[in-house]
Amino acid sequence: MTGYSVSSAPPDLVCLHAAGATGAMFAGIADRLKGLANVVTPELPGRGATYDQKPLLRMETAVASLLPGLLTRPDRSYALFGYSMGALVAFELICELARLGAGLPAVLFVAATRAPHVPPREAPLHLMDDTDLLEELARFQGTAQELLDDAELMDLVLPRLRADFELCETYRFGQMRQLPVPLYAFGGKSDEKVTAADLAAWLQLTLVGGTWEQLPGGHFFLEDQEEVLTRRIASIMLPGAYAATAPSGTVPHG
């Protein structure tokens, strides 16, 4: 049980997108949870309705951009889900909410990224030239090759993507903090950049337990495992709504 505030309305699942992406990446989850939970997809500047705005380059400004949308939410009335870059932003948002004494989410879901206190192992993507960056994007297997080969499209996409990578790669984890929020981490079994140990390390950041789990697929395992991931999230947010299956690693609550 996640301890949601008492309410007759379905809880909100606030989803924070990956680098280079928009809130549209959660459209399938929103459809699957329709009537059970409201999926809310705030976006950082430089995409969607704010495409003409400059993308943000630092974690502090990303948190400041998204914080007003969470400050007015009652304590434990919503869940937070961050994918890749969004997971790091979600963690820092909760830290700031806790510092301000504001309402916290009932649960934090993170996916496809190392725990923030795990040191990076790769060269920074945002410093690569376009050729090397495109090769790395092909390795992620999240973008079709025909799109990567479209020079005109890449001229539009790469600046925003490079900015998002800079936001992540200049972020520095500060003092070790443990959140009073249950934490559930997911990753792809064949993700070369996020290992089982990287996911398990997230559980060092919660005071009240959680789990980690690997699902089939790479960094963008969401594309093929959307139904499974939605069931996992729903079984935690809405006990009894979906049947849960045992995850790979578990820390009991309490």
Side-chain angles (χ1 to χ4, degrees):
M1 192 67 180
T2 54
Y4 282 100
S5 297
V6 176
S7 172
S8 58
D12 287 347
L13 176 64
V14 180
C15 299
L16 305 182
H17 57 76
T22 69
M25 69 178 292
F26 302 110
I29 291 179
D31 286 342
R32 294 177 187 279
L33 291 178
K34 189 173 295 183
L36 298 172
N38 303 310
V39 173
V40 182
T41 57
E43 296 178 344
L44 292 175
R47 67 210 79 215
T50 61
Y51 187 84
D52 59 336
Q53 296 181 16
K54 289 185 177 180
L56 304 179
L57 302 178
R58 294 295 181 269
M59 181 64 73
E60 307 85 69
T61 52
V63 169
S65 173
L66 297 173
L67 188 64
L70 299 181
L71 279 175
T72 58
R73 291 180 175 273
D75 191 46
R76 315 291 178 179
S77 65
Y78 67 102
L80 198 55
F81 174 36
Y83 200 98
S84 194
M85 174 182 73
L88 298 177
V89 178
F91 173 78
E92 285 297 324
L93 273 169
I94 296 179
C95 289
E96 183 64 9
L97 288 168
R99 187 186 71 81
L100 294 172
L104 299 179
V107 59
L108 171 62
F109 301 104
V110 296
T113 197
R114 295 189 296 268
H117 58 295
V118 176
R121 296 184 290 268
E122 303 91 10
L125 296 174
H126 78 277
L127 297 178
M128 294 181 177
D129 61 32
D130 287 355
T131 300
D132 290 341
L133 182 54
L134 287 171
E135 289 180 0
E136 284 297 308
L137 293 179
R139 287 182 58 203
F140 275 122
Q141 298 179 337
T143 307
Q145 188 60 49
E146 56 265 29
L147 297 181
L148 294 175
D149 292 337
D150 186 331
E152 187 173 339
L153 176 63
M154 288 300 105
D155 283 344
L156 294 174
V157 171
L158 282 184
R160 182 180 71 194
L161 191 57
R162 192 183 296 279
D164 286 351
F165 284 146
E166 182 173 346
L167 188 156
C168 296
E169 292 166 348
T170 57
Y171 165 59
R172 295 293 178 266
F173 181 78
Q175 183 179 358
M176 191 70 176
R177 290 157 287 182
Q178 291 182 301
L179 305 177
V181 173
L183 197 158
Y184 298 84
F186 301 92
K189 290 181 179 178
S190 57
D191 189 343
E192 298 178 1
K193 297 181 179 294
V194 182
T195 67
D198 295 334
L199 296 175
W202 276 101
L203 300 187
Q204 299 171 22
L205 303 177
T206 174
L207 291 168
V208 288
T211 65
W212 65 270
E213 180 176 7
Q214 288 183 302
L215 299 174
H219 187 72
F220 289 99
F221 68 93
L222 175 63
E223 294 178 358
D224 296 322
Q225 300 297 319
E226 183 180 85
E227 180 178 359
V228 174
L229 183 58
T230 303
R231 285 179 177 274
R232 300 291 195 273
I233 290 172
S235 70
I236 295 163
M237 286 185 66
L238 308 154
Y242 287 98
T245 57
S248 305
T250 301
V251 173
H253 288 271

